[in-house]
Amino acid sequence: HANFIDAGVSTIIASDAVAQRVHEAIANSQVERLIVTYSQDYLPPLMRLGLGMQNRSAGATSPIQGDNVYSFLDLIRDNEPGQMQPEISPDDTALVLYTGGITGTPRGVMLSHRNLIANVLQMNAWVWDAREERKEVFLAVMPLFHSYGLTVVMNLAISVGGAMLLLPRFTLKELLRNITRFRPTIFPAAPTIYNSIVNYSLVQRYDLRSIRVCISSAAPLPVAVAQAFESITGARLVEGYGLTETSALTHCNPAHGERRAGSIGLPLPLTEAMIVDPGSRRPLPTGEIGELVVRGPQVMQGYWAQEQQTAPVLEDGWLYTGDMARCDEGGYFYIVDRKEDIISVDGHNVYPREVEDVLYGCEKVEDVVVAGVPDKHRGEIVKAYVVLKDDMEVTERELRAFCAERLAGYKVPARIEFREGLPKSNTGKYLRRELVREEVERQGRG
């Protein structure tokens, strides 16, 4: 609701399943009209009959009453195609998409028509064999309100004349059943979804061999997860990187070509990227860790009505991502971690992703998040939150010893907490800040 107010929304389109609640929520707001879509309007006649639904005639009374409530289908029927031809420029704002992103505070990212189309064309060039004649089927498990789902699922599927297998919510068994039945070929998703598949004990009961290409984004992809997924499916799983501020992706490992484990890949066509010192913003030599900055046709116009907040992150077309990264001699980039997630242990920097990758290498570990938590003696320590695979047992001492063989001493988790699950966003991203908040509250009560 706060985002509606901030963006100055005047019209809302909602399904009949939620329209009544929306209508109540927008009472006494600046929203001028509510357009309702009705499920039965889009179902085949036999399915409507089986579900006990009636055909709605044009002009039928809406179950949701109000002077500002309209039926979407009636509006379509009453207005001939081509009756209205608004003038649209490629640089007009097409979308205001809200994200916590770089700033941590929800802000509206302004994306132009040019931004969105450019990113689709970039991805189309990357997955060059996705063509209309192949009759691609995109598995749409990522929410389409997320920039990644919007571009790499919906817009890319439309651009190549592909079908979309739409799953409104993620449940593992339903996902696997749908893959077996409908044979999707391209499966963009978050690492947590691939991880759920490889750790499901009955996964061999399902036929997943139709999947050809998978692009992982929205969070770091553990190398062990990628290897296990490919061995099960035969698909090629590559990691990409992007932000809402970049219409989705700026980097990706080649879908067909050399990829490098742990890397987010190469910049997409017409995309520039470099590593700079976070303080001086001067470019750093190859191999050194600094802040990743990007420039290209997919970079946002700015934050909606937030010029002061736009200025620090967007300078001369360069977007300062807030992600710490490095670039190797071959031009492949590697995300190390967010600036704000770096843990300081006795003056040494610890990057959570490095510790997480080591713990994922333990065959008994299913999920892990590493965070810096307050400590009254050392200021901050490394803590790992671990979910074990079913019927697996391991002690904190054993896991710490496993890490000690592979990490410098100061990087080894000082504490390990075993949990049944880890907090995730609706896009599958682990909520590290939520775990830190829980820890601070726990210490406060203690």
Side-chain angles (χ1 to χ4, degrees):
H1 193 260
N3 291 346
F4 287 171
I5 296 172
D6 182 64
V9 170
S10 61
T11 301
I12 297 176
I13 303 176
S15 74
D16 54 337
V18 297
Q20 185 60 51
R21 279 180 289 164
V22 172
H23 191 235
E24 294 169 0
I26 63 176
N28 303 316
S29 73
Q30 89 280 4
V31 178
E32 298 173 7
R33 61 192 68 83
L34 170 63
I35 299 175
V36 183
T37 64
Y38 295 90
S39 303
Q40 61 263 44
D41 293 342
Y42 306 96
L43 295 177
L46 288 178
M47 186 176 289
R48 282 202 299 267
L49 184 63
L51 295 173
M53 294 178 174
Q54 301 296 319
N55 289 334
R56 286 189 342 102
S57 59
T61 302
S62 168
I64 302 161
Q65 298 299 309
D67 294 336
N68 61 341
V69 179
Y70 304 87
S71 159
F72 180 75
L73 192 60
D74 288 347
L75 292 176
I76 295 297
R77 286 168 174 161
D78 295 341
N79 295 275
E80 292 295 327
Q83 195 170 343
M84 299 177 64
Q85 292 289 341
E87 292 186 8
I88 299 174
S89 163
D91 293 316
D92 286 344
T93 300
L95 179 67
V96 178
L97 199 57
Y98 280 79
T99 178
I102 296 171
T103 64
T105 303
R107 291 193 171 97
V109 173
M110 295 189 294
L111 299 175
S112 68
H113 294 277
R114 189 189 303 276
N115 290 151
L116 296 172
I117 292 173
N119 208 215
V120 170
L121 294 176
Q122 289 168 321
M123 289 308 303
N124 193 260
W126 222 239
V127 190
W128 55 265
D129 62 339
R131 293 291 181 265
E132 186 171 355
E133 56 270 21
R134 292 191 69 126
K135 298 183 179 179
E136 304 285 6
V137 178
F138 285 70
L139 182 51
V141 68
M142 292 297 290
L144 302 184
F145 59 76
H146 187 270
S147 61
Y148 182 55
L150 175 76
T151 295
V152 185
V153 180
M154 186 177 76
N155 290 349
L156 184 58
I158 292 170
S159 77
V160 300
M164 284 182 282
L165 174 54
L166 294 165
L167 300 180
R169 59 183 59 84
F170 170 68
T171 58
L172 183 57
K173 289 183 180 179
E174 189 68 21
L175 173 70
L176 295 174
R177 280 197 293 265
N178 277 281
I179 293 174
T180 300
R181 179 181 178 187
F182 294 105
R183 318 298 293 157
T185 57
I186 298 179
F187 180 16
T192 50
I193 294 176
Y194 301 122
N195 193 33
S196 297
I197 292 173
V198 302
N199 285 297
Y200 182 47
S201 59
L202 302 178
V203 69
Q204 298 297 340
R205 293 184 179 181
Y206 300 89
D207 182 3
L208 310 181
R209 293 280 165 171
S210 66
I211 303 170
R212 189 176 84 257
V213 176
C214 300
I215 301 172
S216 176
S217 189
L221 174 67
V223 175
V225 172
Q227 293 172 341
F229 183 86
E230 289 191 338
S231 68
I232 292 170
T233 64
R236 183 174 173 89
L237 172 55
V238 296
E239 183 174 2
Y241 166 86
L243 305 160
T244 304
E245 286 87 348
T246 59
S247 310
L249 294 189
T250 63
H251 292 69
C252 195
N253 276 274
H256 309 287
E258 182 185 355
R259 58 179 172 177
R260 299 190 178 180
S263 169
I264 59 172
L266 301 163
L268 295 180
L270 301 179
T271 302
E272 300 173 82
M274 63 180 177
I275 306 298
V276 302
D277 179 87
S280 67
R281 294 192 166 183
R282 293 179 179 175
L284 293 175
T286 299
E288 290 197 21
I289 295 173
E291 184 175 0
L292 173 64
V293 297
V294 296
R295 183 166 65 182
Q298 71 273 50
V299 171
M300 69 171 181
Q301 298 172 308
Y303 294 119
W304 174 265
Q306 298 276 355
E307 291 185 10
Q308 290 184 337
Q309 284 69 32
T310 300
V313 302
L314 195 57
E315 184 178 309
D316 295 328
W318 289 99
L319 180 76
Y320 289 76
T321 67
D323 283 316
M324 303 298 286
R326 63 180 177 85
C327 179
D328 67 17
E329 293 288 348
Y332 284 72
F333 285 75
Y334 301 76
I335 296 295
V336 178
D337 249 308
R338 297 286 301 169
K339 282 194 297 189
E340 66 266 24
D341 291 334
I342 296 173
I343 307 165
S344 179
V345 178
D346 298 330
H348 299 286
N349 284 342
V350 178
Y351 299 99
R353 182 174 182 176
E354 180 184 5
V355 184
E356 290 167 356
D357 281 343
V358 167
L359 285 166
Y360 270 115
C362 174
E363 62 181 9
K364 297 181 179 181
V365 171
E366 178 173 331
D367 273 338
V368 59
V369 170
V370 171
V373 300
D375 180 79
K376 61 182 178 181
H377 300 296
R378 302 177 67 184
E380 191 174 34
I381 59 170
V382 179
K383 181 173 181 179
Y385 300 83
V386 174
V387 177
L388 296 178
K389 296 179 181 178
D390 291 342
D391 302 321
M392 291 291 184
E393 294 183 3
V394 67
T395 67
E396 180 176 354
R397 177 179 292 182
E398 289 170 338
L399 268 188
R400 294 186 75 252
F402 180 86
C403 291
E405 293 176 359
R406 297 160 175 83
L407 293 168
Y410 65 89
K411 298 179 181 179
V412 175
R415 296 211 305 272
I416 297 176
E417 179 181 326
F418 295 101
R419 297 171 66 110
E420 293 297 319
L422 297 169
K424 301 174 187 175
S425 71
N426 51 21
T427 59
K429 186 179 295 185
Y430 291 116
L431 299 176
R432 183 181 280 116
R433 295 173 192 170
E434 180 68 19
L435 292 169
V436 174
R437 184 189 63 78
E438 289 178 11
E439 186 73 24
V440 171
E441 290 180 354
R442 185 185 304 143
Q443 292 184 18
R445 290 193 297 270

